Amino acid sequence: MTNVVLIGMPGCGKSTVGVLLAKTLGLSFVDTDTVLQKREKRKLQPMIDEIGVDAFLLREEEAVCSLQADHAVIATGGSVVYGRRAMAHLHEDGLVVYIRLPYEIIERRLSNLATRGVTLRPGQTLRDLYDERVPLYEREADVVFDAGNGSVEEAAAALADCLRARMEDAHGR
């Protein structure tokens, strides 16, 4: 494993935990939402509004498949699990970690749904999206990490410990 790939719902802490995790593990950090925004030269929500969810998901998948990260923590967009090619690419050189949080915490953290860049289809609620994605995250995860209610720093430290233990087990220590 050369990369740690973080998946999960918007608001679960992939980017914020990811930055701290990368520093703790001595890895670089890549945010696929930022990669996509640079590639498309626009923010996520205007892109979704202009081209629609399906076209957005295709562009997200293309951006993720273009990544050539090595020894990095990769924070993905919450919708990356819809892209089979993207997930296969991320699994090639990475350990995929699902940052799991209960719906109530996600809902509390996502007060800005209209501007956040969340791929909600017309009529779809955040709860609908959560219920649809959880099985996809669980299917793709090599590791499920329950982030809990602690601080970002506590979550990053606990995840780093979990990953170190996993790497030591893999190396027979």
Side-chain angles (χ1 to χ4, degrees):
M1 167 207 59
T2 62
N3 298 316
V4 175
V5 179
L6 305 178
I7 63 172
M9 283 295 290
C12 75
K14 297 179 300 286
S15 296
T16 50
V17 169
V19 168
L20 294 172
L21 181 64
K23 287 180 183 177
T24 301
L25 296 176
L27 303 173
S28 60
F29 177 75
V30 177
D31 187 316
T32 64
D33 283 347
T34 302
V35 170
L36 179 59
Q37 288 176 114
K38 284 182 181 175
R39 191 176 161 122
E40 295 290 325
K41 297 178 177 59
R42 55 186 162 171
K43 299 280 186 198
L44 299 178
Q45 192 61 56
M47 192 183 329
I48 294 166
D49 294 343
E50 290 168 24
I51 66 174
V53 171
D54 292 331
F56 174 85
L57 294 175
L58 285 173
R59 292 192 186 172
E60 177 183 47
E61 184 170 44
E62 290 166 3
V64 169
C65 287
S66 76
L67 283 179
Q68 297 301 318
D70 186 40
H71 291 86
V73 172
I74 302 169
T76 63
S79 55
V80 73
V81 291
Y82 294 120
R84 292 279 193 179
R85 286 185 315 121
M87 289 309 305
H89 179 70
L90 293 168
H91 275 289
E92 281 175 14
D93 290 316
L95 181 72
V96 176
V97 178
Y98 167 33
I99 299 179
R100 181 167 57 189
L101 278 178
Y103 173 75
E104 294 72 26
I105 295 175
I106 297 294
E107 182 182 40
R108 191 170 56 240
R109 289 184 180 182
L110 292 180
S111 58
N112 57 343
L113 271 181
T115 59
R116 178 82 188 222
V118 178
T119 55
L120 284 171
R121 296 184 184 281
Q124 189 176 37
T125 66
L126 181 60
R127 182 73 210 205
D128 295 336
L129 188 69
Y130 182 89
D131 291 344
E132 177 181 293
R133 287 188 184 175
V134 165
L136 302 176
Y137 296 135
E138 290 174 349
R139 179 189 73 208
E140 294 294 346
D142 297 313
V143 174
V144 175
F145 176 72
D146 287 304
N149 245 344
S151 71
V152 173
E153 291 82 5
E154 290 168 336
L159 181 52
D161 289 344
C162 171
L163 294 174
R164 278 192 200 104
R166 186 178 173 102
M167 289 186 286
E168 287 173 7
D169 288 346
H171 295 313
R173 293 186 189 164

